[in-house]
Every structure is written in C-alpha cells, then in structure tokens.
Amino acid sequence: MQYEKEIILTDGAKCLLRGANEADASEMLRTFNLTHTETENLLTYPEENSFSVKQEAEFLKARNKSENAIEIAAFIDGRIVGTAGIDPVGDKEKVRHRADFGIAVEKACWGRGIGKALTLACIECAKQAGYLQIELEVVAENASAVRLYESVGFREYGRNPKGFRARSGWQTLILMRLEFDS
C-alpha cells in the first residue's frame, strides 16, 4: 500500500507520514531498536528482532506492493521518529475482514500528536484496503495509549490478565477494536 501526508504537530513542527520503503530499512531498524528499549509496553525486546537491514528492506518492499498491509513511518527533519502498520489477521474467508494494528513512537516525541496521526493514517489505509475492523492489544497500564485509541473510536472487547510476561512482571492486555460501517 502507498500512503503520504504532511501534518503539523501540536508544537507546530512539520511531520511527514509515508509508507516506508527499502531505502528506509536501516533507519526503520534504528527506530525499532530505540522504541523497544524505551518501554515495556511493546510486544518485543530489541534483541528479539532478528531482521538484518536486507531483510527489513525486503519486508518494506513487500509492504509497498501489498494491497492490504502497510508500514507507515513518521519523519521529522528526515529522521524516522515513529512507525505504525496494519497487517491482515489472516487470509481465510472468515477473518479477511480484520486488520491488526501496531505502533511505536520514540519517547522523546510522545505527546506531540505523532501517535494519533499514525493511528488515523492506519485507519484510513485499513478502510481503503476493505477491512471491516481493525484490532489492537494495549498494555492496560499504558493509560495515554488507551485514551488515544478510545479518542479515535476503538472500544474494549476483552482483557487478558497475563497477556505479557514482561521482565518486570505480568502485564494485563486490553483487547480493542474499531469497527467500520460495512
């Protein structure tokens, strides 16, 4: 999928949101490693990423050619400060209507509107791809993320009290979804 849009952040800075491509692979990995070091609220730890720059480039190339998946990067002054994406839950008929959403923003950029802009961009892409719902899991203690998702229409549909077994202990996951008009 393709996406590109320039936005103005809450502090007045310009931010470019666009589908990441092969040339962004090294910077995408840098951002992944940083964001996954800065918080316990993401699925993996940085050392669990086994992608090389070449593998990341291939992943991003496939996303650009995909009709139902995308990885969007947020650029400030040419530097990636956040990423978000959607993936199909599966290709079987019964689940083709569902997209999975994930996001990470550098801690230094929290509170500037990047997370909301990336979320809205992914919602727009999910609708264009024909999905009827987009889903996510969020750590319950991550109150600012929960508020963000609720502000754009996501609703809780369940909880998994032992969803993450983080190094710091158990984390409850809130399961949320946003349904689109069919």
Side-chain angles (χ1 to χ4, degrees):
M1 293 185 76
Q2 302 290 315
Y3 185 89
E4 187 166 327
K5 182 177 185 178
E6 186 172 273
I7 61 165
I8 303 298
L9 301 176
T10 58
D11 61 3
K14 289 183 181 179
C15 179
L16 174 66
L17 304 178
R18 74 162 166 77
N21 61 45
E22 295 168 80
D24 301 316
S26 182
E27 181 71 359
M28 288 288 285
L29 286 175
R30 182 205 61 81
T31 304
F32 176 93
N33 288 326
L34 176 61
T35 57
H36 286 69
T37 299
E38 294 179 319
T39 180
E40 285 269 312
N41 296 331
L42 300 174
L43 175 64
T44 60
Y45 293 103
E47 66 272 13
E48 293 178 306
N49 178 24
S50 61
F51 269 27
S52 66
V53 173
K54 183 179 178 182
Q55 289 168 317
E56 181 73 11
E58 288 300 315
F59 170 81
L60 296 172
K61 181 180 179 180
R63 287 295 180 269
N64 273 295
K65 292 181 178 180
S66 175
E67 294 180 10
N68 64 352
I70 191 167
E71 194 70 24
I72 300 172
F75 295 83
I76 297 177
D77 297 326
R79 188 170 158 275
I80 297 174
V81 297
T83 63
I86 58 166
D87 289 289
V89 168
D91 63 352
K92 305 297 185 226
E93 184 177 351
K94 291 182 180 182
V95 295
R96 274 189 224 140
H97 67 286
R98 298 167 53 200
D100 187 43
F101 170 73
I103 185 170
V105 176
E106 291 184 7
K107 195 171 190 174
C109 294
W110 290 359
R112 297 175 69 187
I114 296 166
K116 187 169 190 172
L118 284 167
T119 303
L120 290 171
C122 284
I123 290 169
E124 183 180 331
C125 289
K127 288 178 179 178
Q128 287 176 2
Y131 290 112
L132 299 179
Q133 95 184 13
I134 187 170
E135 305 169 9
L136 62 86
E137 294 178 343
V138 60
V139 173
E141 293 80 22
N142 191 352
S144 60
V146 173
R147 279 192 305 275
L148 163 64
Y149 303 140
E150 289 175 341
S151 77
V152 297
F154 281 89
R155 297 295 170 248
E156 179 178 334
Y157 70 93
R159 287 184 180 237
N160 184 344
K162 291 186 176 181
F164 280 175
R165 186 176 178 193
R167 294 174 182 159
S168 61
W170 292 109
Q171 292 176 302
T172 298
L173 291 179
I174 300 174
L175 290 71
M176 302 183 84
R177 72 172 171 246
L178 172 62
E179 296 180 28
F180 306 135
D181 296 331
S182 55

